[in-house]
Amino acid sequence: MVVVSDTSPLSNLAIIGRLALLPEQFGEVWIPPAVVRELDALRSPSAQAALSEAMQSGWLMQVPLPSSAPFPDELRGLDPGETEALRLALSAKTNAVLMDEKEGRQCAASLGITTIGGLGILIFARRTGSISSLRNEIEKLRRDAGFFVDKDLETRVLAMVAE
């Protein structure tokens, strides 16, 4: 399975040391040039190293945005990474887009694109035994990556994995 990713799921998982969950779940992850630029600005040396290793290993791949990639009106107002990720997904007809931001996820849904967020990746990892505690990973996301998780949402996702 090939998915396209926006910046935040990659950066957040890299910051908490869980980037390796992605090839386990998806095989290949494609990123457009705008996402590469956004990841290059990441200030965590360990996350940068993990992303570099992922690129070198070949499962994380920069894929150029084709000049023929569609640009639906729904994409106007999104940031460059979200815009290019969704355009690449539309162009390549990939299975899903990894994306956390609410506005981008809503736009993807309006275009018929499935989205999977960082929490979805962690839920699957917990269910398959790749991580032992979703609660601990959410805490790392908050503490180390500055990731916001609404308390009600946290309660619901923890219930999904019986934590």
Side-chain angles (χ1 to χ4, degrees):
M1 170 194 268
V2 173
V3 295
V4 172
S5 186
D6 184 29
T7 307
S8 63
L10 294 172
S11 62
N12 290 331
L13 290 172
I15 287 169
I16 67 167
R18 293 297 187 182
L19 197 60
L21 294 173
L22 295 176
E24 288 177 17
Q25 291 182 28
F26 305 110
E28 284 184 15
V29 178
W30 292 359
I31 54 175
V35 170
V36 172
R37 287 189 299 275
E38 291 174 0
L39 289 171
D40 285 344
L42 193 59
R43 295 186 181 164
S44 166
S46 62
Q48 283 286 0
L51 289 161
S52 178
E53 181 180 315
M55 295 283 282
Q56 289 173 359
S57 71
W59 66 261
L60 181 61
M61 301 171 48
Q62 179 177 346
V63 176
L65 190 63
S67 59
S68 62
F71 198 127
D73 286 338
E74 292 91 341
L75 299 180
R76 303 211 187 281
L78 295 180
D79 77 25
E82 292 170 338
T83 300
E84 285 193 9
L86 291 172
R87 290 184 69 204
L88 182 58
L90 286 168
S91 169
K93 297 178 176 59
T94 58
N95 300 80
V97 173
L98 307 181
M99 186 172 289
D100 286 319
E101 293 78 8
K102 182 179 180 180
E103 187 177 339
R105 291 171 67 95
Q106 290 172 337
C107 181
S110 75
L111 295 169
I113 300 171
T114 300
T115 57
I116 303 166
L119 290 177
I121 293 162
L122 292 171
I123 289 167
F124 185 80
R126 175 66 174 88
R127 287 179 173 159
T128 59
S130 294
I131 61 173
S132 60
S133 169
L134 179 57
R135 184 182 312 278
N136 290 346
E137 300 304 320
I138 291 172
E139 183 52 38
K140 287 181 197 174
L141 281 171
R142 277 196 183 103
R143 182 188 64 232
D144 301 341
F147 189 82
F148 174 76
V149 181
D150 177 79
K151 282 293 187 186
D152 290 337
L153 175 60
E154 181 178 0
T155 300
R156 288 194 310 270
V157 299
L158 291 174
M160 293 170 131
V161 296
E163 277 191 45

